Amino acid sequence: PRPIPPIFPNPSSSSDFPTGMSRVQSFINAFQYNYTSHPFVKPKKTGGSRHMGEIYERLLALSLPIQCVEAVFIASILTAPFKDVQRLPLSFESKCEGHLYKHIVLAVCCEGKWGSLGISRRGTLMDKPLSFPSLWALIEEFESSYQAVGHSLTLVAPGAPMPHDFYSVDMPILWKALRLRLGSKQSTLSKLDLEKFLQSYALDV
């Protein structure tokens, strides 16, 4: 059956977002993961906000399995009506048995709590509940999840906050605004860099 996008009658209320977030994730899950090496609809990160909207419409029309980038497009569009909720792309690079892997989710912040939306081959590397006190705590949770599946997380790159209007003005999307190198000697510096980055966008640290 074709996935049906959720409708939010009162998206201006941040108190409704936890339920809305769950509905968005259920909608993403309904597409199922695309295990082939190529996406059925190829999104371009170089495109602006209107391109994201166009890709979203094509994904709805085709209703074929998706990968992580398409899931972030969908999550960004569907959470846009919640004006008090900040969303930003969160990219990962990990290594396993000498191979490099890349992944992305949408980090979300509502009333000082962080979580994520997305899709992955691994159920522990996609959505996270809206329960983390900081973006750094969310990143640490992902690092633990990567370790649990035998991956070493080497890079985390948060992007700039996503817009709340994808159609009126074609806005550029900054997918990677900061690169955080992880490791015992680098984590302290990376955490300070992340705090400065979030403060520059007036986001909850």
Side-chain angles (χ1 to χ4, degrees):
R2 176 171 294 183
I4 300 175
I7 297 174
F8 305 111
N10 188 25
S12 61
S13 175
S14 59
S15 63
D16 293 336
F17 182 69
T19 300
M21 181 177 171
S22 177
R23 293 177 63 193
V24 170
Q25 185 60 47
S26 294
F27 177 67
I28 291 172
N29 293 343
F31 281 86
Q32 302 185 354
Y33 187 78
N34 174 13
Y35 287 93
T36 71
S37 58
H38 300 287
F40 294 110
V41 177
K42 190 172 183 179
K44 296 180 180 179
K45 287 186 177 180
T46 54
S49 58
R50 284 180 179 168
H51 170 72
M52 291 185 69
E54 291 168 359
I55 292 295
Y56 170 73
E57 297 297 337
R58 290 180 62 190
L59 290 169
L60 286 185
L62 294 175
S63 298
L64 293 171
I66 60 175
Q67 295 178 338
C68 60
V69 176
E70 299 101 279
V72 170
F73 274 49
I74 292 171
S76 299
I77 296 291
L78 290 180
T79 56
F82 292 90
K83 304 300 184 182
D84 293 332
V85 176
Q86 294 297 333
R87 306 105 64 241
L88 53 86
L90 193 61
S91 300
F92 304 94
E93 289 184 9
S94 65
K95 289 184 178 180
C96 180
E97 298 180 349
H99 297 283
L100 178 66
Y101 297 87
K102 296 183 178 182
H103 183 46
I104 188 171
V105 299
L106 184 72
V108 296
C109 180
C110 178
E111 297 183 342
K113 298 294 184 180
W114 288 84
S116 66
L117 295 162
I119 201 168
S120 171
R121 295 171 181 264
R122 305 276 190 172
T124 56
L125 299 178
M126 36 192 270
D127 58 307
K128 298 288 184 180
L130 196 67
S131 60
F132 297 90
S134 65
L135 180 55
W136 185 256
L138 177 63
I139 290 172
E140 288 183 322
E141 166 64 18
F142 271 104
E143 185 175 24
S144 297
S145 297
Y146 269 100
Q147 291 173 348
V149 295
H151 282 237
S152 174
L153 188 59
T154 58
L155 175 71
V156 180
M162 286 288 185
H164 288 280
D165 183 350
F166 285 84
Y167 298 98
S168 297
V169 179
D170 191 17
M171 298 180 61
I173 306 298
L174 182 57
W175 292 93
K176 294 181 180 179
L178 179 68
R179 294 175 179 267
L180 304 172
R181 297 289 177 182
L182 301 185
S184 58
K185 295 182 180 179
Q186 298 171 312
S187 291
T188 301
L189 181 59
S190 292
K191 187 175 182 180
L192 292 174
D193 288 338
L194 181 61
E195 289 177 357
K196 293 178 182 178
F197 164 76
L198 294 175
Q199 289 169 354
S200 70
Y201 286 103
L203 294 173
D204 290 316
V205 175

